[in-house]
Amino acid sequence: MEKLQTAFHFGADAVYLAGKRYGLRAFADNFTDEEIAEACAYAHERGKKVYVTLNIYARDFDFDGLTDYLKVLEQAHVDAVLISDVGVFDYVKRNSNLPIHISTQANTTNSYAVQHWRDAGAERVVLARELPLKEIAEIHTRCPDVQLEAFVHGAMCISYSGRCLMSNYLANRDGNRGECVQACRWQWEVREVNRSDAMPVMEDERGTYIFNSKDMNMLAHLLELIDAGVVSFKIEGRMKSAFYVATVVAAYRRALDAIANGQFTDDLIQELNAELNKASHREYTTGFYLDEEESRQFYESSKAVEEYKFIAVIRDMGSKKALIEQRNKFTVGEELEILSANEHSGKTFVVEYATDEKGCDVTVCNKVKQLLTINCPYPLQAGDILRKKV
C-alpha cells in the first residue's frame, strides 16, 4: 500500500498490483482482498486507476476459487485485470465483466496476435519487450483501435518475455507462477561439453555474469514511443523500494508533462537521467527498441548501483519544521536532499536538530520507522521524501 500511495503521490496515473494468488510476484507483499478494495477506493478518489495481475500460467487446480476472486475484484471496482494465459482469459470473460489487458508475459509480437486479443475482448495489450519501435508503429497502424502499452523502465528478464524455466530447474520455484529466484543474476561459467575451456566472455577475478541483464531506461525516447502509438508507459518495480518507485515515477512524470508542454529538451533529459541514477539500478540499456548494436547484458556484477540512500518520508509539516518517519540512519549536521512532487525537489538543507516523540534531542538517528521532528526550510507535503548522497 505504501508503494501504491507513493506512486500516485509522485505522478503515476495507474498502478498494477497482485492479490495473494494468480500474480507473477508471489514473494512480494501482495494485497489481501480487503486491501485491494481499499487501494481502488484510494485511487478512484484521486482520479487514478488500479490494474490487478492474473498473469500466471495456470494449472487446472488454479481455477478453484477463481470465480469468487473475480467477484471480489468486481466489487472492488478494479479498472482492469492483466492476463497471460488463454484459459484464464476465457474463464474471466465468461465469469465476470472485468476489463482485460493482455500481459507482456503473453509475448505479443505481431499485429495478428493483437487483432486476436481485440476480437476476443481485450481492450489493451502490453507488448513483448523484444519488439523494436518500428514494428510497434506497424502494429499500431494495423490495429489503431487497440490500446498499446510498453515497458519503459526497470529490470529486464534474460528469457523471452519472461518465460523462463531456469529457476524451476535449479530451485524448483517456477518463474511462470510467480516464484522466480532470479538464477540468471547468479555468477556463471559456461562450457561446451567437448571442450575443456570455458566460454570466452568478459570477466574479472570474481567470475562473470553472462545472464545478468541491464536495466531498461527509455526516458530519452518517450516521444518516439508516443509516435509509434504507445499510449501507456509501464515502470517495472513491484519488488523495489518505495524510494525507487518515488524516484523513477517522479522523473517520468516530469518528462511526460514536459512533452505535453513542448519543453522536453536535451537539458531536461540529462537532468532527469541524473535523477534516475539516484535510484538503485544496474547499468542502463534501451533494450530491443532501437536499432543499436549494444550489449544488453552486464558482465561485471549483478549488484545494483546505489548513489543515494532513502532517509525519511515526510508525514506532516509545520512552520519551518517537518515530522518525518525515518528509514535509514542519518545524523544532525548532515545534508539531506528533497524528492518532492513540487518545485522544491532537488533542493538541500542541513539538519540542525532532531527530536523524538517525547521531545528529547536525538543526534544520531538510527531507529527505522521512528517519528522525528527536524528543521525544514521548505513547505513540503506529506509523502515527500528525504534522501542522502551515499
Side-chain angles (χ1 to χ4, degrees), residues 78-312:
V78 166
D79 295 284
V81 290
L82 281 150
I83 294 175
S84 306
D85 184 290
V86 65
V88 175
F89 181 98
D90 183 65
Y91 192 95
V92 171
K93 285 295 296 180
R94 287 188 289 107
N95 292 280
S96 81
N97 293 311
L98 291 163
I100 297 177
H101 296 178
I102 301 304
S103 169
T104 191
Q105 294 288 129
N107 62 283
T108 305
T109 57
N110 60 77
S111 60
Y112 297 96
V114 172
Q115 289 169 356
H116 164 79
W117 289 122
R118 176 199 64 195
D119 295 343
E123 67 175 30
R124 180 181 298 182
V125 175
V126 187
L127 296 169
R129 301 189 205 189
E130 291 79 15
L131 279 173
L133 273 170
K134 60 183 180 182
E135 292 185 29
I136 294 175
E138 291 170 1
I139 289 172
H140 174 62
T141 299
R142 294 172 182 171
C143 309
D145 55 338
V146 181
Q147 298 173 23
L148 300 181
E149 180 170 301
F151 277 90
V152 293
H153 199 92
M156 295 278 285
C157 184
I158 184 67
S159 291
Y160 195 81
S161 283
R163 290 188 171 186
C164 182
L165 291 175
M166 185 181 288
S167 175
N168 194 324
Y169 181 78
L170 294 171
N172 200 31
R173 281 172 40 178
D174 193 344
N176 296 309
R177 299 178 59 77
E179 301 172 352
C180 183
V181 297
Q182 296 198 359
C184 57
R185 307 292 186 192
W186 299 350
Q187 182 176 326
W188 288 89
E189 179 180 86
V190 176
R191 182 177 63 83
E192 198 274 326
V193 292
N194 294 315
R195 296 172 63 94
S196 60
D197 56 329
M199 172 183 173
V201 294
M202 296 171 61
E203 60 181 295
D204 58 20
E205 66 277 1
R206 295 167 297 170
T208 183
Y209 298 87
I210 54 176
F211 301 134
N212 179 48
S213 298
K214 295 178 181 178
D215 284 358
M216 180 183 288
N217 177 354
M218 284 293 288
L219 185 137
H221 304 283
L222 292 180
L223 266 172
E224 294 162 75
L225 284 161
I226 292 170
D227 290 342
V230 177
V231 300
S232 179
F233 301 117
K234 192 164 192 170
I235 294 168
E236 182 276 330
R238 284 197 288 148
M239 296 288 281
K240 302 287 178 46
S241 69
F243 177 58
Y244 176 93
V245 172
T247 305
V248 177
V249 169
Y252 276 85
R253 178 75 274 160
R254 287 180 62 192
L256 290 174
D257 289 346
I259 288 172
N261 296 327
Q263 298 173 343
F264 194 52
T265 63
D266 290 341
D267 287 344
L268 180 62
I269 290 171
Q270 185 176 355
E271 178 186 338
L272 295 179
N273 272 320
E275 275 293 302
L276 292 173
N277 287 336
K278 295 179 181 180
S280 177
H281 66 282
R282 298 179 181 90
E283 190 173 311
Y284 285 130
T285 176
T286 54
F288 297 87
Y289 285 119
L290 307 177
D291 292 327
E292 296 180 348
E293 292 295 327
E294 63 160 335
S295 171
R296 300 179 183 97
Q297 310 309 119
F298 188 53
Y299 300 112
E300 296 178 13
S301 170
S302 62
K303 185 176 176 60
V305 176
E306 188 174 44
E307 293 187 4
Y308 278 70
K309 281 282 188 187
F310 179 16
I311 296 301

